[in-house]
Amino acid sequence: MGNPAHYSREVPSRCLQLIDGLWPYVEGVFQSDRRDLGPLTSTFLISMSYPIINLPIERIERHSSKQEQGYADDRHVDLHLAATVWRDLGGQKLKDAPFFAPDVWSYCQSEVFNISSGLPEQYAEILASPLAHASAGDLETSKWCSALRNALAHGGIAYLNGNGRYAYEAPVSMYLFVSGRYRKEKEEDRPMLVGLNLLRIKEADYRNFLRSWVNWLQVTKIEATLDDAA
């Protein structure tokens, strides 16, 4: 395997290739003591999605307001891609992003609770509602990607069953990404945790989203080539 020329573009592409290439094999791998819970596709997909999501956000989007180069900074490698990431992960709504699909993500805010104890029923009901799907589409992409990135980076992930509930004795059908909402009374104060952001998506839709996300990162390379030729 060669060293990537552009980590934010090439590593996500390689991870997607691994997902697609190994998926038939993973579908035949089961938890050793509970085959009835289905194959380990969720563990595989979530694990492979970390670099797909986090690398472009950490190495490009997080540097949007900085002049100096960071220690992990891909902006200078491809200025066209950097501009595209800042545009599409900026202030526009998620439903206007190239990688968005309708009725896939659902979103709501909640009070603070411990996800290791499950998802409270009131929020499971909200996340299943048309309003929660509309709320996800109306999120600013910058807020959406921050919530998703924070959940992946800090372990804010819960597995849900086909009804969107936390159930240990059932196969996983959905993912819940959870991140904190913080507030400071004064600039010098330490941020206080005041609530949570909840993002929900079906496993099949998440895999399709990853493909759209990686394709979005690749299309910018094609656009740059066309611009240069014009």
Side-chain angles (χ1 to χ4, degrees):
M1 183 182 72
N3 187 21
H6 197 307
Y7 277 76
S8 294
R9 174 187 286 132
E10 294 176 42
V11 173
S13 180
R14 294 178 184 185
C15 289
L16 181 63
Q17 186 177 352
L18 285 170
I19 291 172
D20 290 340
L22 295 176
W23 195 262
Y25 174 77
V26 175
E27 286 183 312
V29 179
F30 296 82
Q31 187 175 323
S32 58
D33 58 338
R34 291 298 304 270
R35 287 184 62 89
D36 60 301
L37 295 180
L40 298 178
T41 52
S42 296
T43 301
F44 176 61
L45 193 59
I46 289 293
S47 299
M48 294 303 301
S49 73
Y50 276 67
I52 292 178
I53 301 301
N54 283 13
L55 280 178
I57 293 176
E58 293 291 349
R59 296 177 68 127
I60 298 178
E61 193 272 341
R62 298 284 105 168
H63 298 285
S64 61
S65 61
K66 301 176 182 177
Q67 296 296 325
E68 69 283 356
Q69 284 194 15
Y71 66 87
D73 188 344
D74 284 337
R75 288 178 296 174
H76 69 287
V77 182
D78 187 333
L79 296 177
H80 190 277
L81 177 56
T84 300
V85 168
W86 295 334
R87 180 195 68 201
D88 293 337
L89 298 184
Q92 70 170 338
K93 293 183 178 181
L94 178 61
K95 63 185 178 183
D96 297 323
F99 43 79
F100 177 78
D103 299 323
V104 166
W105 295 95
S106 60
Y107 169 79
C108 73
Q109 294 183 344
S110 75
E111 297 178 345
V112 178
F113 65 90
N114 186 350
I115 62 172
S116 68
S117 299
L119 174 65
E121 178 63 20
Q122 66 185 97
Y123 299 120
E125 292 182 0
I126 293 173
L127 288 167
S129 69
L131 178 60
H133 284 98
S135 296
D138 287 335
L139 271 176
E140 290 187 0
T141 50
S142 57
K143 184 174 182 178
W144 165 82
C145 77
S146 291
L148 182 58
R149 171 256 175 204
N150 287 339
L152 287 168
H154 300 292
I157 302 171
Y159 293 162
L160 308 177
N161 65 14
N163 294 320
R165 268 62 176 179
Y166 184 92
Y168 179 71
E169 298 294 330
V172 175
S173 295
M174 302 181 188
Y175 305 145
L176 180 69
F177 297 99
V178 182
S179 64
R181 293 186 291 113
Y182 294 86
R183 184 179 65 212
K184 293 195 297 184
E185 297 296 336
K186 299 178 181 178
E187 185 62 32
E188 63 272 15
D189 288 346
R190 184 176 182 179
M192 295 187 304
L193 180 65
V194 296
L196 302 176
N197 295 303
L198 307 181
L199 280 168
R200 196 194 74 174
I201 188 171
K202 294 179 181 178
E203 178 180 274
D205 289 335
Y206 188 66
R207 185 182 174 192
N208 290 333
F209 155 70
L210 293 176
R211 180 171 290 104
S212 297
W213 174 272
V214 170
N215 288 340
W216 165 65
L217 295 171
Q218 304 307 315
V219 165
T220 58
K221 186 176 182 179
I222 299 173
E223 290 175 345
T225 302
L226 294 175
D227 289 344
D228 292 341

